[in-house]
Amino acid sequence: MSSTRDIDKLIEMMARLPGLGPRSARRAVLQMIRKRGQLLSPLAEQMAKVAATARECLNCGNIGTEDICDICRSEKRATGEICVVQDVSDLWAMERGAVFGGRYHVLGGTLSALDDIGPEDIRIPQLVARIENEQISEVILALNATVDGQTTAHYIADQLDGRVRITSLAQGVPIGGELDYLDDGTISAALKARRSI
Amino acid sequence: MSSTRDIDKLIEMMARLPGLGPRSARRAVLQMIRKRGQLLSPLAEQMAKVAATARECLNCGNIGTEDICDICRSEKRATGEICVVQDVSDLWAMERGAVFGGRYHVLGGTLSALDDIGPEDIRIPQLVARIENEQISEVILALNATVDGQTTAHYIADQLDGRVRITSLAQGVPIGGELDYLDDGTISAALKARRSI
Ligand SMILES: [Zn+2]
Ligand SMILES: [Zn+2]
């Protein structure tokens, strides 16, 4: 611990972030204090700004700073394709790949009997509504290749059967792997080789 | 990248902190946004608070929120002993060990011919002045067991020779090791087994 309560408290708060522990939090805080003009003050301001403006897109569940996110608002994005992902981090991974030009639907989780998570808990009714309202021709299921991810993919495919073309990422997603851990090239290959379910 | 400039900027700023990279910064920012009420806003406030109040102790070089730090002000700390450390992170490591009851002197670096760092650059004149002004009976040199750390220790020992008892951490500090990486028990053992130079 440092000799000051306010600094100790900042270290404790930083240590709770994913990827940081007590030791790395201490190093980060010391570094920030040493460069408080260039690092700590701007970071505090940017955090306050994001805290005040960040919200979930009412349409797709992406995180942005408006009620409807940049991707849903963009006229450059194809309107006929929806890529369904589990989390915002997966949407970000897809965007880094920069090979998908349509829009997204972020579930915010997967179906799970164990955790009592049903279709209404992961925005599936909203997805069904979008298929009806937005003239969607294809739904790409870009869910993790885990048991829960694939259970969710099959449930969605059953719900939408006959109303729209349903595909899933194919080549390149390793069994048991999570989308957010893949490199851009693998995501790109998997998207290009997508197949009908 | 996310779909929003402000969030991307926050991720970039977080990724520059020691111990974090782009991937862990993305995860930390997502987590903070999900819990913006409990996590992001309080963190922003705490950072702003520390940015506004943090400063170097005018006496010892420790980081605190007053001109004279808590340790230098404390009446519970022995006034006759000064423990000389390279960085504030080393002072924090000593305090976690909780076996030293005296005060500190933080050099903020080591002598280095290569980097043109001389005694005036690392608060050695201030240390010499404290020996004269504060009735110090012992100076404990708790410097890293690196070449630069030991060069600095010998330089300080030469400067103070004959004026005060000079000791150094002994047992337990591995060759080439850095103080901030040691466990509390090792630091405790090294302090108890300190020897005269
Ligand atoms: Zn959206
Ligand atoms: Zn002090």
Side-chain angles (χ1 to χ4, degrees):
Chain A
M1 294 289 100
S2 89
S3 59
T4 307
R5 237 172 45 117
D6 275 338
I7 295 174
D8 286 344
K9 193 178 164 195
L10 180 55
I11 293 171
E12 277 165 32
M13 294 170 90
M14 291 288 292
R16 267 182 257 143
L17 296 179
L20 283 164
R23 186 182 155 73
S24 44
R26 286 196 301 267
R27 294 189 86 83
V29 167
L30 252 190
Q31 171 87 338
M32 289 193 293
I33 290 175
R34 285 198 189 106
K35 304 187 175 178
R36 48 195 174 276
Q38 309 100 290
L39 209 53
L40 190 51
S41 298
L43 193 51
E45 280 171 34
Q46 192 65 21
M47 281 185 176
K49 198 173 182 182
V50 170
T53 57
R55 68 197 73 183
E56 279 187 5
C57 173
L58 297 175
N59 192 45
C60 77
N62 183 21
I63 282 173
T65 49
E66 310 279 345
D67 281 341
I68 302 296
C69 76
D70 290 2
I71 293 176
C72 284
R73 281 206 319 268
S74 170
E75 293 181 1
K76 290 181 187 157
R77 312 288 301 214
T79 52
E81 294 176 8
I82 288 182
C83 179
V84 178
V85 292
Q86 180 180 323
D87 281 315
V88 173
S89 57
D90 299 325
L91 184 159
W92 291 357
M94 294 287 298
E95 288 295 286
R96 286 198 299 280
V99 285
F100 177 64
R103 292 177 179 168
Y104 292 93
H105 194 78
V106 181
L107 298 175
T110 52
L111 294 175
S112 169
L114 209 68
D115 296 325
D116 199 25
I117 297 174
E120 298 76 22
D121 301 314
I122 58 168
R123 308 171 49 86
I124 289 180
Q126 290 91 323
L127 175 62
V128 174
R130 287 183 68 186
I131 305 306
E132 288 166 1
N133 300 334
E134 292 183 30
Q135 299 194 299
I136 302 302
S137 57
E138 179 175 354
V139 169
I140 301 166
L141 300 174
L143 296 170
N144 292 331
T146 57
V147 173
D148 282 346
Q150 292 310 299
T151 303
T152 306
H154 282 110
Y155 179 86
I156 293 172
D158 280 347
Q159 295 296 304
L160 302 181
D161 191 31
R163 301 196 223 180
V164 68
R165 180 171 184 234
I166 304 166
T167 58
S168 69
L169 297 189
Q171 188 196 326
V173 182
I175 303 300
E178 295 189 5
L179 215 69
D180 191 24
Y181 282 79
L182 299 184
D183 62 281
D184 304 346
T186 308
I187 288 181
S188 170
L191 184 76
K192 283 182 187 132
R194 67 187 186 269
R195 58 187 164 71
S196 290
I197 290 189
Chain B
M1 293 292 99
S2 89
S3 58
T4 307
R5 237 171 45 118
D6 275 337
I7 296 173
D8 286 343
K9 192 177 164 194
L10 180 56
I11 293 170
E12 277 165 33
M13 293 170 88
M14 291 287 292
R16 266 181 258 143
L17 296 179
L20 284 163
R23 185 182 156 72
S24 45
R26 286 195 302 268
R27 295 189 86 84
V29 167
L30 251 190
Q31 171 87 337
M32 290 193 292
I33 290 176
R34 284 198 191 106
K35 304 188 174 176
R36 48 195 174 278
Q38 309 100 290
L39 208 53
L40 190 51
S41 299
L43 193 50
E45 279 170 36
Q46 193 64 22
M47 280 185 177
K49 199 173 181 182
V50 170
T53 57
R55 69 197 72 183
E56 280 186 4
C57 173
L58 297 176
N59 192 46
C60 76
N62 183 21
I63 282 173
T65 50
E66 309 280 345
D67 280 341
I68 302 297
C69 77
D70 290 2
I71 293 176
C72 284
R73 281 206 319 268
S74 170
E75 293 182 1
K76 289 181 187 156
R77 311 290 299 215
T79 51
E81 293 175 10
I82 288 182
C83 179
V84 178
V85 293
Q86 180 180 324
D87 280 316
V88 173
S89 56
D90 299 325
L91 184 160
W92 290 357
M94 292 288 298
E95 287 296 285
R96 287 197 299 280
V99 285
F100 177 64
R103 291 176 179 168
Y104 293 92
H105 194 79
V106 181
L107 297 175
T110 52
L111 294 175
S112 169
L114 209 68
D115 296 326
D116 200 24
I117 297 174
E120 298 76 22
D121 301 316
I122 59 169
R123 308 171 50 85
I124 289 180
Q126 290 92 325
L127 175 62
V128 174
R130 287 183 68 187
I131 305 307
E132 287 166 1
N133 300 334
E134 293 183 30
Q135 298 195 298
I136 303 301
S137 57
E138 179 175 354
V139 169
I140 301 165
L141 300 174
L143 297 170
N144 292 331
T146 56
V147 173
D148 283 344
Q150 293 310 301
T151 303
T152 306
H154 282 110
Y155 178 87
I156 292 172
D158 281 346
Q159 295 295 305
L160 302 181
D161 191 32
R163 301 197 224 181
V164 68
R165 181 172 184 233
I166 304 167
T167 58
S168 68
L169 296 190
Q171 187 194 327
V173 182
I175 303 301
E178 294 189 6
L179 215 70
D180 191 26
Y181 282 78
L182 298 184
D183 62 281
D184 304 348
T186 308
I187 288 181
S188 169
L191 184 75
K192 283 183 187 133
R194 66 187 186 270
R195 56 186 165 71
S196 290
I197 290 188

